[in-house]
Amino acid sequence: MMRTGLGYDLHRLQAGRPLMLGGIRIPHPAGLLGHSDGDALVHALIDAILGAMGEGDIGRLFPDTDPRWRGARSLDLLGDVCRRLKAKKMRLVHADAVVIAEKPKLGPHFEAMKDALCPALGLERDGLGLKAKTNEGLGLIGRGRAIACWAVVLVEGRARPTSRPRP
Ligand SMILES: [Zn+2]
């Protein structure tokens, strides 16, 4: 049985915070604001995986009202979600993501992001697609005030028990 999952996330950028994205630190004068490290790409991937598992979203699993997740490393949360996936006898086949950011240029960081993300996801390098888009200067993202991410995943699971026989 194959399942897809879709994830979306957006965080505001705040001057002086370290920018964590795709599991790595990227040199930039502003970083993503959040209860955890604000890694919107990892959060979108987590939501996509949870969606494929039919298990709600990141806010349900790691609520931002819980001090345990304050300053949490998002990559660790992703590892936790991937272990839950494995425990359900499901396997991630492929993940694809788009990061929408006006600045900084992300293409040069994709290989380092793959170094961080692929082991956590249990994927080969070609099993993870990463793409960057700007917002053409429009809106909060275009003005460099926020970064958004979309992610989709394909998950393979146990064959579903055969459904009721047809009448
Ligand atoms: Zn987030």
Side-chain angles (χ1 to χ4, degrees), residues 26-105:
I26 295 172
H28 194 55
L32 296 170
L33 193 60
H35 190 67
S36 65
D37 58 16
D39 193 325
L41 174 52
V42 170
H43 296 175
L45 285 164
I46 287 175
D47 265 2
I49 294 167
L50 289 174
M53 290 166 71
E55 298 234 344
D57 63 23
I58 187 170
R60 203 178 89 186
L61 210 58
F62 311 108
D64 61 9
T65 49
D66 189 331
R68 261 187 307 169
W69 313 122
R70 193 183 168 82
R73 206 168 150 252
S74 298
L75 205 55
D76 294 338
L77 306 184
L78 179 65
D80 184 272
V81 167
C82 289
R83 278 190 292 279
R84 287 166 189 260
L85 184 78
K86 219 173 162 182
K88 277 195 132 182
K89 305 239 183 320
M90 297 169 95
R91 183 182 73 88
L92 191 60
V93 179
H94 178 80
D96 193 17
V98 187
V99 185
I100 309 152
E102 210 66 22
K103 274 180 191 169
K105 268 210 168 321

Side-chain angles (χ1 to χ4, degrees), residues 150-163:
W150 288 97
V152 289
V153 297
L154 184 66
V155 165
E156 187 178 38
R158 286 173 299 190
R160 195 196 287 271
T162 42
S163 51

Side-chain angles (χ1 to χ4, degrees), residues 118-130:
C118 289
L121 293 165
L123 288 174
E124 298 294 328
R125 299 181 77 79
D126 63 357
L128 174 64
L130 293 174

Side-chain angles (χ1 to χ4, degrees), residues 12-27:
R12 289 166 188 266
L13 281 160
Q14 191 182 65
R17 265 180 77 92
L19 174 58
M20 292 298 298
L21 196 62
I24 62 165
R25 185 167 174 179
I26 295 172

